[in-house]
Amino acid sequence: MKRNNTDRQISPTNPLSALLGYQLRRASVAMMANLAADLNDISLRPSEASILLLVQANPGITQSMIGSILGINRANMAPLTALLVGRGLIDRTPADGRSHGLHLTKAGTALAKKAARCIETLETRVLAKMPEKVRSTLVGQLRAIWDETPD
Amino acid sequence: MKRNNTDRQISPTNPLSALLGYQLRRASVAMMANLAADLNDISLRPSEASILLLVQANPGITQSMIGSILGINRANMAPLTALLVGRGLIDRTPADGRSHGLHLTKAGTALAKKAARCIETLETRVLAKMPEKVRSTLVGQLRAIWDETPD
DNA sequence: TATTGTTATACTCTATAACTATA
DNA sequence: TATAGTTATAGAGTATAACAATA
């Protein structure tokens, strides 16, 4: 098909930019990239930091329970947990013979505190970009998108 | 360390649930999973559908430009574009010897229309979960998180 | 029978480096 | 020198299936 050069785009338009799904994804990716970079300084990935914070808030919790809360499946929790145990950040105490209760070690507690500080700093920085009124309702609106039973 | 069973969690708490970054990620993942399932019926993945819509809105746009708009790098655009060309959804017309202008074929136009309908249906369904006032401002607030220069 | 944890495996997405052809 | 496109490759993240041990 013959084309002239009148359709060469100088300033392209993005038809996706008005879409909630698109903006959610871009915002999420951007924030995760920032978080990953910050957590990298303490040798943690976002998923590892999440697990530490969850164990800290729920001493004795099992791998499966963590997975079901965070949306990480059982098979993928195994190597993640093993790594954190291997680094001396969490330990396992037998619970019922087939499962273990997880607890933070002293080193794990210290690192969880640093991770929490990373996360809070980022949260504050991003939330500062929006007006107070939005700040207080945004998190709840996002939760409504994926979870009908808020906790 | 000796443990009793008083720390066995019956109803675990999630310390991440108040975090913007966490809720953004969960909402984004959930919405993308829904979109992927819907688009699967017309044999498109979200990235492929995005490219079709971008080419439709910007006839003659190049791969590199699409990549820079969508945040997909050059190397990964190559096989994506090749696949869509191979399926007869877009065609390339020489632009300047090293780049090609992309255009939707007739089949591509038809499929882009179906994809747009998938996306709009999902958007409507999700937006229905929130009050009118939030609906009108949410997208702009999300854009502010990752992009300082809205278009 | 169902659940917990594990291993193996595969698929997608993403990132970098190196190369060519052209500007 | 810089840019557009390509190829190869490596690293995450995620998904399923199958198995052992235990409930």
Side-chain angles (χ1 to χ4, degrees):
Chain A
M1 196 181 296
K2 193 104 181 293
R3 303 278 180 194
N4 57 28
N5 56 10
T6 60
D7 59 10
R8 202 74 50 76
Q9 283 292 328
I10 302 304
S11 178
T13 62
N14 184 352
L16 307 177
S17 71
L19 297 173
L20 175 61
Y22 177 74
Q23 294 296 339
L24 264 180
R25 167 114 169 119
R26 296 303 297 260
S28 169
V29 166
M31 218 170 154
M32 288 293 291
N34 275 320
L35 181 61
D38 292 349
L39 288 174
N40 192 50
D41 297 341
I42 55 173
S43 299
L44 285 178
R45 283 169 299 178
S47 58
E48 295 167 339
S50 299
I51 292 170
L52 290 185
L53 295 182
L54 212 52
V55 172
Q56 182 174 53
N58 302 276
I61 195 172
T62 62
Q63 285 178 214
S64 288
M65 190 54 100
I66 294 173
S68 98
I69 294 171
L70 295 182
I72 302 173
N73 79 27
R74 231 166 61 244
N76 296 328
M77 278 301 299
L80 271 172
T81 307
L83 196 73
L84 295 173
V85 170
R87 287 176 60 182
L89 299 173
I90 63 182
D91 57 14
R92 311 190 220 219
T93 61
D96 79 348
R98 62 184 170 179
S99 67
H100 305 267
L102 304 181
H103 300 266
L104 292 187
T105 63
K106 199 158 181 179
T109 303
L111 203 57
K113 183 173 285 183
K114 287 187 188 177
R117 205 151 38 218
C118 269
I119 291 170
E120 272 311 320
T121 300
L122 177 58
E123 287 277 314
T124 301
R125 177 152 48 88
V126 173
L127 287 169
K129 291 183 180 180
M130 50 191 67
E132 173 60 37
K133 270 208 163 150
V134 175
R135 233 174 287 176
S136 54
T137 59
L138 182 53
V139 169
Q141 298 300 338
L142 293 173
R143 186 184 294 120
I145 291 175
W146 67 276
D147 187 11
E148 9 269 73
T149 56
D151 53 354
Chain B
M1 194 182 295
K2 193 105 181 292
R3 303 278 179 192
N4 59 26
N5 58 8
T6 58
D7 59 10
R8 201 76 50 78
Q9 284 291 331
I10 302 304
S11 179
T13 62
N14 184 353
L16 307 178
S17 70
L19 297 174
L20 175 62
Y22 177 74
Q23 294 296 341
L24 265 180
R25 168 112 169 120
R26 295 304 297 260
S28 169
V29 167
M31 218 169 153
M32 287 293 292
N34 275 320
L35 180 62
D38 292 349
L39 287 175
N40 192 49
D41 297 341
I42 55 173
S43 298
L44 284 178
R45 283 170 299 179
S47 57
E48 295 166 340
S50 299
I51 292 170
L52 289 185
L53 295 181
L54 213 51
V55 172
Q56 182 173 54
N58 302 275
I61 195 172
T62 62
Q63 285 179 216
S64 290
M65 190 54 102
I66 293 173
S68 100
I69 293 172
L70 295 182
I72 302 173
N73 78 28
R74 231 165 61 242
N76 297 328
M77 278 301 298
L80 271 172
T81 307
L83 196 73
L84 295 173
V85 170
R87 287 176 60 182
L89 300 172
I90 63 182
D91 57 15
R92 309 191 221 219
T93 61
D96 81 347
R98 62 185 171 180
S99 67
H100 305 267
L102 304 181
H103 300 266
L104 293 187
T105 63
K106 199 160 180 177
T109 303
L111 203 57
K113 183 173 284 182
K114 287 188 187 174
R117 205 152 39 219
C118 269
I119 292 171
E120 271 311 319
T121 300
L122 177 58
E123 288 277 314
T124 301
R125 177 151 49 89
V126 173
L127 286 169
K129 291 183 179 179
M130 50 192 69
E132 172 61 36
K133 271 208 164 153
V134 176
R135 233 174 288 176
S136 54
T137 60
L138 182 54
V139 168
Q141 297 302 337
L142 293 173
R143 187 184 294 121
I145 291 175
W146 68 276
D147 188 10
E148 8 269 73
T149 56
D151 53 356

